[in-house]
Structures are given as C-alpha cells and as structure tokens.
Amino acid sequence: KNEVEQSPQNLTAQEGEFITINCSYSVGISALHWLQQHPGGGIVSLFMLSSGKKKHGRLIATINIQEKHSSLHITASHPRDSAVYICAVSRLGGADGLTFGKGTHLIIQP
Amino acid sequence: EAGVTQSPTHLIKTRGQQVTLRCSPISGHTSVYWYQQALGLGLQFLLWYDEGEERNRGNFPPRFSGRQFPNYSSELNVNALELEDSALYLCASSFLAGGIDYTDTQYFGPGTRLTVL
C-alpha cells in the first residue's frame, strides 16, 4: 500500500463546478504539500500546511492531522485549472525529500 | 527573481553511457533536492543536499550520485545508464529558515527529460 493515496485518479468536470481532490497518508508527517503539474512537466507548489486550512484565490486546502487526511478544493473551476494535482508529504524528522501520491489528473471542460 | 534552473532540457543517451544533469537553486536557497518521474511510477525522491553535504538519498542504486557546490548549485550523475532510467529529472530548492530539522516549501525547476535508447 502506498504511503500517500489520492482520489480520484482522474476527474473530468464542467467549467464552474466545485472540485474536491482527496489525499490520505499513513506515515507521521511534519507537513503536507499540494503541487500542480502542467503538461510539459513544470511543477508549482500550491500549498504547504501542517494544520487547519489555507486559501489562495480559488484554491482551498485543508488538513485533518488526527484522521491523516487532506483535501484540495477548487471553486468556480476554469479550463486553465486542468492539470495534474499531486499530494506530497514531508515525513517527521526534518526537511527531507518528499513522498508523493500518484496524482489526480483534472480536466475542466468549457 | 530567477527561479530554479536546470540544464539541459532534453538529453538522449544510450545504454551504458553516463550523464550529468545540472541544477541552479533560487538565490539564497541552500537545500537542493533531486526527484525522478518515470512514466507510470510517479515522482520519487532521489537525493537531498544541504550546505554542500548529502543529507539523505532515496531508494536508488549507487550509480545515482551527485554533489553540491559552494554556490549551492548541484549536479546529478547517473552511471551505466539503463533503459528504465528514462524519466523526467526534477530539481527543487528550499530555504530552510528553521534549519534542516524543519521542512519548508520546495520550488521546482522545469526538469531535464532523459531518454535512454
């Protein structure tokens, strides 16, 4: 079993819909990261969080440490949001390399 | 401010050859991470350098190695290339404001796409 699990693997939605991507992890962590990868490979860090909730524009990330679960929400989705969204964790103990989920491939249709 | 840069962008090699990939972190960042993204396998952690020292490595054979220079730029070397080394190699940098015991946001470069024939 992977240490970081994401769902769904693939998601197609219509423009304007509210999107939720889920991430569960099974190891102790110091932080959870949400990343966005566009075709061509470039990765952008969207959020790093260790508790509670963060918001940036139309993106919201939440984490429940007790349940080892995080969600990424996109409000008023737009075709430019189409990308792969990757959940990753920093394990307890330091600023080590990240452990990644397999990603959620999101397509927003106009 | 310039982001993380990597060179080359694309590379084609044959089995058994050696390759060197380069990464320049964001100015002021002392930590450099290397990741491999092979088709169907997802992103995997390769190596972590901080202040010139290798701090940790992922589950990769010793033919994957690297170093970090005094200016914090880094090289990833892969010897005796195998077909399964074909992947996108990503470098990320971070400024560890709290020291190496505390994680921080990682900023990724555009990657080097390596094809092994």
PDB file of all heavy atoms in Angstrom, chain B residues 17-46:
ATOM      1  N   GLN B  17      25.979   4.413 -21.074  1.00  0.00           N
ATOM      2  CA  GLN B  17      26.641   5.717 -21.000  1.00  0.00           C
ATOM      3  C   GLN B  17      26.427   6.369 -19.637  1.00  0.00           C
ATOM      4  O   GLN B  17      25.675   5.869 -18.778  1.00  0.00           O
ATOM      5  CB  GLN B  17      26.093   6.642 -22.104  1.00  0.00           C
ATOM      6  CG  GLN B  17      26.628   6.331 -23.475  1.00  0.00           C
ATOM      7  CD  GLN B  17      26.234   7.400 -24.488  1.00  0.00           C
ATOM      8  OE1 GLN B  17      25.064   7.782 -24.615  1.00  0.00           O
ATOM      9  NE2 GLN B  17      27.222   7.881 -25.232  1.00  0.00           N
ATOM     10  N   GLN B  18      27.105   7.484 -19.447  1.00  0.00           N
ATOM     11  CA  GLN B  18      26.999   8.260 -18.220  1.00  0.00           C
ATOM     12  C   GLN B  18      26.414   9.624 -18.552  1.00  0.00           C
ATOM     13  O   GLN B  18      26.581  10.124 -19.669  1.00  0.00           O
ATOM     14  CB  GLN B  18      28.397   8.406 -17.601  1.00  0.00           C
ATOM     15  CG  GLN B  18      28.452   9.218 -16.320  1.00  0.00           C
ATOM     16  CD  GLN B  18      28.807  10.673 -16.555  1.00  0.00           C
ATOM     17  OE1 GLN B  18      29.307  11.046 -17.612  1.00  0.00           O
ATOM     18  NE2 GLN B  18      28.516  11.520 -15.604  1.00  0.00           N
ATOM     19  N   VAL B  19      25.697  10.216 -17.586  1.00  0.00           N
ATOM     20  CA  VAL B  19      25.085  11.512 -17.840  1.00  0.00           C
ATOM     21  C   VAL B  19      25.221  12.394 -16.597  1.00  0.00           C
ATOM     22  O   VAL B  19      25.258  11.893 -15.461  1.00  0.00           O
ATOM     23  CB  VAL B  19      23.591  11.350 -18.221  1.00  0.00           C
ATOM     24  CG1 VAL B  19      22.765  10.860 -17.039  1.00  0.00           C
ATOM     25  CG2 VAL B  19      23.021  12.633 -18.769  1.00  0.00           C
ATOM     26  N   THR B  20      25.333  13.702 -16.820  1.00  0.00           N
ATOM     27  CA  THR B  20      25.373  14.684 -15.733  1.00  0.00           C
ATOM     28  C   THR B  20      24.296  15.719 -15.964  1.00  0.00           C
ATOM     29  O   THR B  20      24.232  16.326 -17.036  1.00  0.00           O
ATOM     30  CB  THR B  20      26.738  15.368 -15.649  1.00  0.00           C
ATOM     31  OG1 THR B  20      27.745  14.384 -15.360  1.00  0.00           O
ATOM     32  CG2 THR B  20      26.742  16.418 -14.554  1.00  0.00           C
ATOM     33  N   LEU B  21      23.458  15.901 -14.980  1.00  0.00           N
ATOM     34  CA  LEU B  21      22.401  16.910 -15.032  1.00  0.00           C
ATOM     35  C   LEU B  21      22.743  18.001 -14.030  1.00  0.00           C
ATOM     36  O   LEU B  21      23.328  17.721 -12.971  1.00  0.00           O
ATOM     37  CB  LEU B  21      21.044  16.277 -14.667  1.00  0.00           C
ATOM     38  CG  LEU B  21      20.671  14.980 -15.393  1.00  0.00           C
ATOM     39  CD1 LEU B  21      19.299  14.514 -14.954  1.00  0.00           C
ATOM     40  CD2 LEU B  21      20.738  15.155 -16.889  1.00  0.00           C
ATOM     41  N   ARG B  22      22.362  19.226 -14.352  1.00  0.00           N
ATOM     42  CA  ARG B  22      22.738  20.362 -13.520  1.00  0.00           C
ATOM     43  C   ARG B  22      21.525  21.146 -13.039  1.00  0.00           C
ATOM     44  O   ARG B  22      20.512  21.228 -13.735  1.00  0.00           O
ATOM     45  CB  ARG B  22      23.695  21.264 -14.284  1.00  0.00           C
ATOM     46  CG  ARG B  22      25.028  20.593 -14.563  1.00  0.00           C
ATOM     47  CD  ARG B  22      25.994  21.428 -15.364  1.00  0.00           C
ATOM     48  NE  ARG B  22      27.295  20.765 -15.475  1.00  0.00           N
ATOM     49  CZ  ARG B  22      27.588  19.835 -16.378  1.00  0.00           C
ATOM     50  NH1 ARG B  22      26.674  19.463 -17.258  1.00  0.00           N
ATOM     51  NH2 ARG B  22      28.769  19.275 -16.382  1.00  0.00           N
ATOM     52  N   CYS B  23      21.685  21.737 -11.864  1.00  0.00           N
ATOM     53  CA  CYS B  23      20.597  22.481 -11.234  1.00  0.00           C
ATOM     54  C   CYS B  23      21.170  23.703 -10.524  1.00  0.00           C
ATOM     55  O   CYS B  23      22.160  23.585  -9.778  1.00  0.00           O
ATOM     56  CB  CYS B  23      19.884  21.588 -10.226  1.00  0.00           C
ATOM     57  SG  CYS B  23      18.669  22.431  -9.187  1.00  0.00           S
ATOM     58  N   SER B  24      20.534  24.856 -10.749  1.00  0.00           N
ATOM     59  CA  SER B  24      20.884  26.061 -10.001  1.00  0.00           C
ATOM     60  C   SER B  24      19.682  26.468  -9.167  1.00  0.00           C
ATOM     61  O   SER B  24      18.601  26.729  -9.713  1.00  0.00           O
ATOM     62  CB  SER B  24      21.266  27.195 -10.950  1.00  0.00           C
ATOM     63  OG  SER B  24      22.499  26.921 -11.559  1.00  0.00           O
ATOM     64  N   PRO B  25      19.840  26.529  -7.846  1.00  0.00           N
ATOM     65  CA  PRO B  25      18.702  26.841  -6.988  1.00  0.00           C
ATOM     66  C   PRO B  25      18.371  28.330  -7.017  1.00  0.00           C
ATOM     67  O   PRO B  25      19.136  29.137  -7.557  1.00  0.00           O
ATOM     68  CB  PRO B  25      19.192  26.429  -5.604  1.00  0.00           C
ATOM     69  CG  PRO B  25      20.674  26.637  -5.672  1.00  0.00           C
ATOM     70  CD  PRO B  25      21.067  26.290  -7.075  1.00  0.00           C
ATOM     71  N   ILE B  26      17.257  28.668  -6.436  1.00  0.00           N
ATOM     72  CA  ILE B  26      16.912  30.075  -6.244  1.00  0.00           C
ATOM     73  C   ILE B  26      17.970  30.705  -5.343  1.00  0.00           C
ATOM     74  O   ILE B  26      18.436  30.080  -4.382  1.00  0.00           O
ATOM     75  CB  ILE B  26      15.496  30.197  -5.614  1.00  0.00           C
ATOM     76  CG1 ILE B  26      14.438  29.752  -6.632  1.00  0.00           C
ATOM     77  CG2 ILE B  26      15.223  31.603  -5.126  1.00  0.00           C
ATOM     78  CD1 ILE B  26      13.044  29.642  -6.059  1.00  0.00           C
ATOM     79  N   SER B  27      18.327  31.947  -5.654  1.00  0.00           N
ATOM     80  CA  SER B  27      19.342  32.634  -4.873  1.00  0.00           C
ATOM     81  C   SER B  27      18.947  32.674  -3.399  1.00  0.00           C
ATOM     82  O   SER B  27      17.821  33.039  -3.047  1.00  0.00           O
ATOM     83  CB  SER B  27      19.490  34.075  -5.410  1.00  0.00           C
ATOM     84  OG  SER B  27      20.413  34.797  -4.637  1.00  0.00           O
ATOM     85  N   GLY B  28      19.895  32.256  -2.535  1.00  0.00           N
ATOM     86  CA  GLY B  28      19.615  32.235  -1.106  1.00  0.00           C
ATOM     87  C   GLY B  28      19.162  30.898  -0.575  1.00  0.00           C
ATOM     88  O   GLY B  28      19.141  30.677   0.642  1.00  0.00           O
ATOM     89  N   HIS B  29      18.769  29.988  -1.474  1.00  0.00           N
ATOM     90  CA  HIS B  29      18.356  28.640  -1.054  1.00  0.00           C
ATOM     91  C   HIS B  29      19.595  27.754  -0.923  1.00  0.00           C
ATOM     92  O   HIS B  29      20.432  27.712  -1.817  1.00  0.00           O
ATOM     93  CB  HIS B  29      17.400  28.031  -2.066  1.00  0.00           C
ATOM     94  CG  HIS B  29      16.042  28.636  -2.046  1.00  0.00           C
ATOM     95  ND1 HIS B  29      14.963  28.056  -2.693  1.00  0.00           N
ATOM     96  CD2 HIS B  29      15.556  29.752  -1.463  1.00  0.00           C
ATOM     97  CE1 HIS B  29      13.886  28.792  -2.497  1.00  0.00           C
ATOM     98  NE2 HIS B  29      14.237  29.843  -1.756  1.00  0.00           N
ATOM     99  N   THR B  30      19.674  27.044   0.205  1.00  0.00           N
ATOM    100  CA  THR B  30      20.844  26.200   0.440  1.00  0.00           C
ATOM    101  C   THR B  30      20.556  24.718   0.238  1.00  0.00           C
ATOM    102  O   THR B  30      21.479  23.920   0.156  1.00  0.00           O
ATOM    103  CB  THR B  30      21.365  26.402   1.877  1.00  0.00           C
ATOM    104  OG1 THR B  30      20.329  26.042   2.805  1.00  0.00           O
ATOM    105  CG2 THR B  30      21.776  27.854   2.103  1.00  0.00           C
ATOM    106  N   SER B  31      19.275  24.353   0.193  1.00  0.00           N
ATOM    107  CA  SER B  31      18.914  22.939   0.023  1.00  0.00           C
ATOM    108  C   SER B  31      18.497  22.664  -1.410  1.00  0.00           C
ATOM    109  O   SER B  31      17.736  23.440  -1.999  1.00  0.00           O
ATOM    110  CB  SER B  31      17.751  22.561   0.939  1.00  0.00           C
ATOM    111  OG  SER B  31      18.192  22.003   2.142  1.00  0.00           O
ATOM    112  N   VAL B  32      18.999  21.555  -1.942  1.00  0.00           N
ATOM    113  CA  VAL B  32      18.636  21.106  -3.278  1.00  0.00           C
ATOM    114  C   VAL B  32      18.181  19.651  -3.200  1.00  0.00           C
ATOM    115  O   VAL B  32      18.820  18.824  -2.545  1.00  0.00           O
ATOM    116  CB  VAL B  32      19.811  21.235  -4.256  1.00  0.00           C
ATOM    117  CG1 VAL B  32      19.489  20.535  -5.582  1.00  0.00           C
ATOM    118  CG2 VAL B  32      20.138  22.698  -4.514  1.00  0.00           C
ATOM    119  N   TYR B  33      17.064  19.377  -3.844  1.00  0.00           N
ATOM    120  CA  TYR B  33      16.500  18.031  -3.891  1.00  0.00           C
ATOM    121  C   TYR B  33      16.457  17.578  -5.347  1.00  0.00           C
ATOM    122  O   TYR B  33      16.156  18.364  -6.244  1.00  0.00           O
ATOM    123  CB  TYR B  33      15.079  18.017  -3.343  1.00  0.00           C
ATOM    124  CG  TYR B  33      14.941  18.555  -1.942  1.00  0.00           C
ATOM    125  CD1 TYR B  33      14.829  19.920  -1.712  1.00  0.00           C
ATOM    126  CD2 TYR B  33      14.901  17.701  -0.846  1.00  0.00           C
ATOM    127  CE1 TYR B  33      14.699  20.420  -0.429  1.00  0.00           C
ATOM    128  CE2 TYR B  33      14.761  18.188   0.447  1.00  0.00           C
ATOM    129  CZ  TYR B  33      14.669  19.565   0.636  1.00  0.00           C
ATOM    130  OH  TYR B  33      14.534  20.046   1.917  1.00  0.00           O
ATOM    131  N   TRP B  34      16.694  16.296  -5.549  1.00  0.00           N
ATOM    132  CA  TRP B  34      16.544  15.693  -6.875  1.00  0.00           C
ATOM    133  C   TRP B  34      15.449  14.640  -6.817  1.00  0.00           C
ATOM    134  O   TRP B  34      15.376  13.837  -5.864  1.00  0.00           O
ATOM    135  CB  TRP B  34      17.847  15.038  -7.328  1.00  0.00           C
ATOM    136  CG  TRP B  34      18.913  16.004  -7.732  1.00  0.00           C
ATOM    137  CD1 TRP B  34      19.947  16.473  -6.975  1.00  0.00           C
ATOM    138  CD2 TRP B  34      19.058  16.617  -9.021  1.00  0.00           C
ATOM    139  NE1 TRP B  34      20.714  17.336  -7.699  1.00  0.00           N
ATOM    140  CE2 TRP B  34      20.203  17.443  -8.963  1.00  0.00           C
ATOM    141  CE3 TRP B  34      18.344  16.541 -10.227  1.00  0.00           C
ATOM    142  CZ2 TRP B  34      20.643  18.192 -10.059  1.00  0.00           C
ATOM    143  CZ3 TRP B  34      18.791  17.283 -11.313  1.00  0.00           C
ATOM    144  CH2 TRP B  34      19.918  18.095 -11.220  1.00  0.00           C
ATOM    145  N   TYR B  35      14.592  14.650  -7.844  1.00  0.00           N
ATOM    146  CA  TYR B  35      13.495  13.702  -7.945  1.00  0.00           C
ATOM    147  C   TYR B  35      13.484  13.098  -9.344  1.00  0.00           C
ATOM    148  O   TYR B  35      13.880  13.732 -10.320  1.00  0.00           O
ATOM    149  CB  TYR B  35      12.155  14.386  -7.707  1.00  0.00           C
ATOM    150  CG  TYR B  35      11.987  14.981  -6.331  1.00  0.00           C
ATOM    151  CD1 TYR B  35      12.200  16.337  -6.109  1.00  0.00           C
ATOM    152  CD2 TYR B  35      11.630  14.182  -5.245  1.00  0.00           C
ATOM    153  CE1 TYR B  35      12.048  16.886  -4.847  1.00  0.00           C
ATOM    154  CE2 TYR B  35      11.471  14.720  -3.981  1.00  0.00           C
ATOM    155  CZ  TYR B  35      11.684  16.075  -3.791  1.00  0.00           C
ATOM    156  OH  TYR B  35      11.524  16.600  -2.534  1.00  0.00           O
ATOM    157  N   GLN B  36      12.986  11.855  -9.421  1.00  0.00           N
ATOM    158  CA  GLN B  36      12.808  11.193 -10.709  1.00  0.00           C
ATOM    159  C   GLN B  36      11.317  10.967 -10.933  1.00  0.00           C
ATOM    160  O   GLN B  36      10.605  10.536 -10.027  1.00  0.00           O
ATOM    161  CB  GLN B  36      13.530   9.835 -10.706  1.00  0.00           C
ATOM    162  CG  GLN B  36      13.429   9.099 -12.032  1.00  0.00           C
ATOM    163  CD  GLN B  36      13.749   7.616 -11.914  1.00  0.00           C
ATOM    164  OE1 GLN B  36      13.040   6.872 -11.243  1.00  0.00           O
ATOM    165  NE2 GLN B  36      14.810   7.193 -12.578  1.00  0.00           N
ATOM    166  N   GLN B  37      10.855  11.288 -12.132  1.00  0.00           N
ATOM    167  CA  GLN B  37       9.469  10.994 -12.513  1.00  0.00           C
ATOM    168  C   GLN B  37       9.492  10.125 -13.754  1.00  0.00           C
ATOM    169  O   GLN B  37       9.585  10.615 -14.877  1.00  0.00           O
ATOM    170  CB  GLN B  37       8.683  12.278 -12.757  1.00  0.00           C
ATOM    171  CG  GLN B  37       7.191  12.021 -12.971  1.00  0.00           C
ATOM    172  CD  GLN B  37       6.390  13.313 -13.068  1.00  0.00           C
ATOM    173  OE1 GLN B  37       6.849  14.308 -13.621  1.00  0.00           O
ATOM    174  NE2 GLN B  37       5.184  13.326 -12.511  1.00  0.00           N
ATOM    175  N   ALA B  38       9.438   8.825 -13.544  1.00  0.00           N
ATOM    176  CA  ALA B  38       9.415   7.879 -14.649  1.00  0.00           C
ATOM    177  C   ALA B  38       7.970   7.572 -15.011  1.00  0.00           C
ATOM    178  O   ALA B  38       7.082   7.594 -14.148  1.00  0.00           O
ATOM    179  CB  ALA B  38      10.148   6.592 -14.259  1.00  0.00           C
ATOM    180  N   LEU B  39       7.756   7.270 -16.280  1.00  0.00           N
ATOM    181  CA  LEU B  39       6.403   7.022 -16.752  1.00  0.00           C
ATOM    182  C   LEU B  39       5.784   5.878 -15.967  1.00  0.00           C
ATOM    183  O   LEU B  39       6.383   4.804 -15.842  1.00  0.00           O
ATOM    184  CB  LEU B  39       6.453   6.672 -18.243  1.00  0.00           C
ATOM    185  CG  LEU B  39       5.143   6.819 -19.013  1.00  0.00           C
ATOM    186  CD1 LEU B  39       4.646   8.250 -18.964  1.00  0.00           C
ATOM    187  CD2 LEU B  39       5.322   6.367 -20.458  1.00  0.00           C
ATOM    188  N   GLY B  40       4.606   6.133 -15.411  1.00  0.00           N
ATOM    189  CA  GLY B  40       3.896   5.086 -14.684  1.00  0.00           C
ATOM    190  C   GLY B  40       4.325   4.876 -13.247  1.00  0.00           C
ATOM    191  O   GLY B  40       3.689   4.120 -12.519  1.00  0.00           O
ATOM    192  N   LEU B  41       5.395   5.547 -12.822  1.00  0.00           N
ATOM    193  CA  LEU B  41       5.891   5.329 -11.459  1.00  0.00           C
ATOM    194  C   LEU B  41       5.674   6.524 -10.544  1.00  0.00           C
ATOM    195  O   LEU B  41       5.868   6.425  -9.351  1.00  0.00           O
ATOM    196  CB  LEU B  41       7.375   4.979 -11.477  1.00  0.00           C
ATOM    197  CG  LEU B  41       7.726   3.598 -12.009  1.00  0.00           C
ATOM    198  CD1 LEU B  41       9.230   3.385 -11.970  1.00  0.00           C
ATOM    199  CD2 LEU B  41       7.015   2.504 -11.217  1.00  0.00           C
ATOM    200  N   GLY B  42       5.331   7.664 -11.110  1.00  0.00           N
ATOM    201  CA  GLY B  42       5.157   8.822 -10.247  1.00  0.00           C
ATOM    202  C   GLY B  42       6.484   9.407  -9.806  1.00  0.00           C
ATOM    203  O   GLY B  42       7.565   8.956 -10.190  1.00  0.00           O
ATOM    204  N   LEU B  43       6.404  10.419  -8.992  1.00  0.00           N
ATOM    205  CA  LEU B  43       7.592  11.119  -8.505  1.00  0.00           C
ATOM    206  C   LEU B  43       8.228  10.348  -7.362  1.00  0.00           C
ATOM    207  O   LEU B  43       7.546   9.898  -6.444  1.00  0.00           O
ATOM    208  CB  LEU B  43       7.207  12.516  -8.021  1.00  0.00           C
ATOM    209  CG  LEU B  43       7.056  13.562  -9.101  1.00  0.00           C
ATOM    210  CD1 LEU B  43       6.111  14.668  -8.658  1.00  0.00           C
ATOM    211  CD2 LEU B  43       8.421  14.153  -9.440  1.00  0.00           C
ATOM    212  N   GLN B  44       9.550  10.211  -7.444  1.00  0.00           N
ATOM    213  CA  GLN B  44      10.288   9.541  -6.379  1.00  0.00           C
ATOM    214  C   GLN B  44      11.485  10.382  -5.970  1.00  0.00           C
ATOM    215  O   GLN B  44      12.182  10.935  -6.827  1.00  0.00           O
ATOM    216  CB  GLN B  44      10.764   8.161  -6.849  1.00  0.00           C
ATOM    217  CG  GLN B  44       9.630   7.201  -7.164  1.00  0.00           C
ATOM    218  CD  GLN B  44      10.165   5.843  -7.532  1.00  0.00           C
ATOM    219  OE1 GLN B  44      10.502   5.037  -6.665  1.00  0.00           O
ATOM    220  NE2 GLN B  44      10.280   5.578  -8.811  1.00  0.00           N
ATOM    221  N   PHE B  45      11.744  10.424  -4.682  1.00  0.00           N
ATOM    222  CA  PHE B  45      12.865  11.176  -4.129  1.00  0.00           C
ATOM    223  C   PHE B  45      14.176  10.455  -4.421  1.00  0.00           C
ATOM    224  O   PHE B  45      14.311   9.255  -4.187  1.00  0.00           O
ATOM    225  CB  PHE B  45      12.664  11.338  -2.619  1.00  0.00           C
ATOM    226  CG  PHE B  45      13.881  11.772  -1.868  1.00  0.00           C
ATOM    227  CD1 PHE B  45      14.477  12.996  -2.125  1.00  0.00           C
ATOM    228  CD2 PHE B  45      14.422  10.963  -0.888  1.00  0.00           C
ATOM    229  CE1 PHE B  45      15.597  13.401  -1.427  1.00  0.00           C
ATOM    230  CE2 PHE B  45      15.541  11.359  -0.175  1.00  0.00           C
ATOM    231  CZ  PHE B  45      16.131  12.577  -0.435  1.00  0.00           C
ATOM    232  N   LEU B  46      15.152  11.217  -4.927  1.00  0.00           N
ATOM    233  CA  LEU B  46      16.470  10.681  -5.249  1.00  0.00           C
ATOM    234  C   LEU B  46      17.514  11.082  -4.207  1.00  0.00           C
ATOM    235  O   LEU B  46      18.130  10.254  -3.564  1.00  0.00           O
ATOM    236  CB  LEU B  46      16.932  11.210  -6.602  1.00  0.00           C
ATOM    237  CG  LEU B  46      16.786  10.335  -7.827  1.00  0.00           C
ATOM    238  CD1 LEU B  46      17.019  11.166  -9.090  1.00  0.00           C
ATOM    239  CD2 LEU B  46      17.763   9.178  -7.784  1.00  0.00           C
TER     240      LEU B  46
END
